[in-house]
Amino acid sequence: MAVCIQEKPFDVSAEISNFGTKVESSGAIVTFTGIVRNDSGALDHMIIEHYPAMTQIALQKFTELAIDRFELEDALVIHRHGTLKPKEIIMMIATAAPHRQDAFAGAQFLMDCLKSRAPFWKKEISEGLGKWVEPRAKDEFELGSWVDNFNSRMG
Amino acid sequence: MQIEILYFAWVRERVGRSKETIETDALTVAQLVDQLISRDPAYGVAFKDLSQIKVAVDQELSDFTTPLINVCEVAFFPPMTGG
């Protein structure tokens, strides 16, 4: 298991390849990559702020939960902070499991946790004006479907 | 007791600082917020709608009823937007 919170860009292909070489008993690897969107076409850059002392603890907890719940062989989370331009990669996760269902479900669970419970905040800067990204109700709803099972452990 | 308070994202911007250490007798997070609001109008603006603010006590996601016994650090921030 690895959780990396970093400012510098990373190579998704190299990370997936490295993750795959360490997997021994899994028949499935699922990966997700998050990219800076530019829906309006006017986005200059995004600033991602986080709470360093809490971020590492929270991400490790979510990853351990995912491994435990979905019987993953391994999981990887990389999440950037700082200033990012449109189309830059924000984050990635990878999950490895004997069968694809658990690898997909583990990845979905990890993403739902990251969206609504990991202490990151995004600010979009367009034409010199900053706007904090607001959470979507859908994200909280999707997390809720897992929380039914984990209510006492999610924090 | 002394508590370090951290602010993130728009809470930080509205309070006008990222952290501070304060002396407090507050028994809960809610009482700590009341103490802050009584100090400066900027806190009143930042904490106007508590439904939009999340709390972490010693890096653990908590709420406004959480007791502050032997607590070192309290953080206030908007709902998270990771991923």
Side-chain angles (χ1 to χ4, degrees), chain A residues 10-23 29-33 76 78 92-94:
Chain A
F10 59 91
D11 181 339
V12 172
S13 301
E15 295 294 343
I16 294 171
S17 176
N18 185 44
F19 183 77
T21 59
K22 288 192 241 168
V23 167
I29 291 175
V30 166
T31 69
F32 173 87
T33 307
L76 166 71
I78 304 175
M92 71 162 288
I93 61 170

Side-chain angles (χ1 to χ4, degrees), chain A residues 5-120:
Chain A
I5 299 141
Q6 61 189 53
E7 190 162 3
K8 66 178 192 298
F10 59 91
D11 181 339
V12 172
S13 301
E15 295 294 343
I16 294 171
S17 176
N18 185 44
F19 183 77
T21 59
K22 288 192 241 168
V23 167
E24 291 179 355
S25 60
S26 293
I29 291 175
V30 166
T31 69
F32 173 87
T33 307
I35 298 164
V36 179
R37 289 200 320 269
N38 186 5
D39 292 344
S40 67
L43 181 71
D44 182 68
H45 63 279
M46 173 181 277
I47 298 168
I48 301 179
E49 182 174 334
H50 77 123
Y51 178 3
M54 183 178 170
T55 316
Q56 187 74 33
I57 296 169
L59 294 193
Q60 280 187 215
K61 184 171 78 172
F62 302 147
T63 309
E64 284 166 7
L65 280 173
I67 289 172
D68 184 41
R69 168 67 178 83
F70 301 99
E71 298 182 356
L72 304 177
E73 182 187 342
D74 199 5
L76 166 71
V77 178
I78 304 175
H79 203 303
R80 292 178 64 197
H81 60 90
T83 300
L84 287 80
K85 289 283 191 182
K87 297 186 181 177
E88 273 195 63
I89 290 167
I90 303 173
M91 52 80 62
M92 71 162 288
I93 61 170
T95 56
H99 302 287
R100 70 181 187 283
Q101 289 88 349
D102 284 334
F104 274 119
Q108 184 74 55
F109 169 77
L110 257 178
M111 279 312 302
D112 289 343
C113 290
L114 273 165
K115 278 279 174 192
S116 303
R117 290 291 183 273
F120 290 97

